[in-house]
Amino acid sequence: MNGFIHIIGCGKFGRRALAYYSARKEVPPLVLVDAAADELAAAVEMSVLGAKTPQICREDAVVYLARLLLDDQACAQDWIIPTAPLHLAFAVLEKISGRRRLAWENLPDLPNLFSGPRDEVYSSLADFLCPDHCPQPRRTCFVTGKKRDPSLLRRLARLKYQSRSRILPSLILPSTQLGPGLGGFPLRRLRHLTDAIERKFPGPLLFSTACRCHGVTNILGPGA
C-alpha cells in the first residue's frame, strides 16, 4: 500500500487497528478520523508511532468519507478501515445519492441475523464470538475447521429478497482481510460501486459490506 490508510472511528476497534499498524516495522501513513475529541485523544495517546505520528481529523465519519470519495488521488491508492459504529459505506451512499434507506418488510434469508438501529441487519456464518486473531482462512472456519461453503459473500450475491413484488438487486462491497481480525477496503472500490449504482440501478436495492463470514446489509430506496 502506497497511499494513506484512513481509520474511521477511534473507539475500541479503531484503536485495535492502530495498535496493529503501530507494531509493524514499516508503518504506513495513517489518518485517524472521529467526531469525538476524547476518542481521538485516546487513540493518539496509545500510539507508539514516534516520527510516524498519524494525521488527526476531528470530523463526522460520513461527511469525511463522502468528501474523500471526490479526491482522485485518494481513490487511486488509499484504503479505508471502517470502525465507526454504523454501516459507514451505506451511510455515505445515502448522502451522495440523496436516496433514503428503507425498512425491511421481512427479514432476509441470512444466517444468525440481528438488527441494528438504522434499519441494518447483521449476518454471520458463526454462531459464536470469533477470536480477534482470526486470519480468515479462505475455505474453512478458523475456529471449527469446518468447510465454509458457500461464503457469506456468495450467499449475499445470491440473495433473493422480494419487496413490493420485485426481487431486489444485491450489491456487495467486499471487505479485505488486512490483518488478523482487521478488515478494510480500497477507496476506489467504494467509488466504483457508488458510480455503478448511480448509472445502472435507479430502483431499490440491497447494499452490503461483508467479508467471507460476516456482513451488514441495508436497503437503499429508489432514486428521485
Side-chain angles (χ1 to χ4, degrees), residues 34-145:
D34 203 299
D38 57 338
E39 297 283 23
L40 278 172
V44 172
E45 185 176 351
M46 60 83 63
S47 174
V48 291
L49 299 180
K52 294 269 187 160
T53 300
Q55 294 185 25
I56 305 300
C57 182
R58 185 181 176 186
E59 189 171 15
D60 175 80
V62 177
V63 172
Y64 178 85
L65 185 51
R67 188 179 70 252
L68 196 64
L69 274 175
L70 301 176
D71 187 325
D72 292 339
Q73 182 175 347
C75 285
Q77 56 188 5
D78 289 9
W79 280 69
I80 307 299
I81 298 179
T83 56
L86 77 165
H87 188 182
L88 180 58
F90 179 78
V92 169
L93 177 58
E94 281 186 288
K95 181 176 180 61
I96 64 179
S97 69
R99 295 159 67 169
R100 295 185 177 183
R101 70 177 186 259
L102 300 180
W104 297 88
E105 298 174 20
N106 48 72
L107 290 179
D109 183 20
L110 291 169
N112 300 305
L113 276 181
F114 66 93
S115 301
R118 299 177 181 85
D119 296 312
E120 73 272 30
V121 293
Y122 297 88
S123 54
S124 175
L125 296 185
D127 57 2
F128 50 83
L129 185 63
C130 295
D132 293 344
H133 64 289
C134 174
Q136 198 181 127
R138 191 169 191 84
R139 293 183 175 85
T140 60
C141 172
F142 177 66
V143 173
T144 67

